[in-house]
Amino acid sequence: MIRLMIADDHAIVRSGLKQIIATTIDIAVVAEATRGEEIFEQLQKDAVDLLLLDMSMPGLAGLELIGRLQRTHARLPILVLSMHNEGQIVARALRAGAGGYVTKDSEPEVLLAAIRKVTHGGRFIDPALGNVLVFDHGPARPLAHEALSERERQVLEGIVAGLPLGEIADQLHLSPKTVSTHKMRLMEKLQVDNNADLIRYAIRHGLTVD
């Protein structure tokens, strides 16, 4: 029996995945996480054979999360399940330590095949991503939001959630002036000029939170 942890911050996605898994006799969902930090907590409590990981979650996420898991749980296979199908993102996830990459619009049969193969030490790439990886030979330029500090990302999440800067400051125990400075710096890094463009960037790159 493959013991699976689903790490995704969207309840609807987790519910749909569990329905797919329920059709099998050799895979069982034993743990769930909605933030990167929760993954480590769950791994202390549950024996897990495979982590099914969304790249875009609140807090610790993406390549940084995969890298930390590689350092602390090197033997845990990771299968990325993501909305992103850009070649550079796929390649970065695999180089960081993921054993496979599947997009969220894949057929259930593809996902189940990926789970079984990566759990047993294999590597799996969504067949739909073949051409993307073959023909995307551009330099692996870092995405702008990868340069954000943890504080800047937290401020971004607050803005995208529609919170005023004063409330963000209260939640982060910072002064409004400091939050304004973080906002200015993150907008410079993302090369946007206003909140509307900032929110569009977050949506486009899956940085939104529920």
Side-chain angles (χ1 to χ4, degrees), residues 101-189:
Y101 197 108
V102 179
T103 60
K104 288 187 175 179
D105 57 359
S106 298
E107 294 296 327
E109 293 77 11
V110 172
L111 173 62
L112 295 175
I115 289 172
R116 294 180 176 115
K117 186 169 184 179
V118 175
T119 298
H120 293 103
R123 295 175 70 81
F124 189 99
I125 301 296
D126 189 328
L129 296 173
N131 286 342
V132 173
L133 291 173
V134 170
F135 295 110
D136 186 359
H137 294 296
R141 295 174 296 176
L143 297 172
H145 61 269
E146 293 178 2
L148 297 180
S149 68
E150 180 64 21
R151 280 296 192 206
E152 289 166 350
R153 188 179 178 101
Q154 289 172 337
V155 171
L156 171 61
E157 291 174 356
I159 293 171
V160 172
L163 301 179
L165 293 186
E167 188 170 340
I168 297 173
D170 290 341
Q171 289 188 359
L172 299 180
H173 305 292
L174 300 172
S175 70
K177 183 178 180 180
T178 299
V179 170
S180 294
T181 299
H182 284 311
K183 178 185 177 183
M184 178 184 67
R185 288 175 179 169
L186 74 88
M187 292 181 75
E188 288 176 353
K189 290 180 180 180

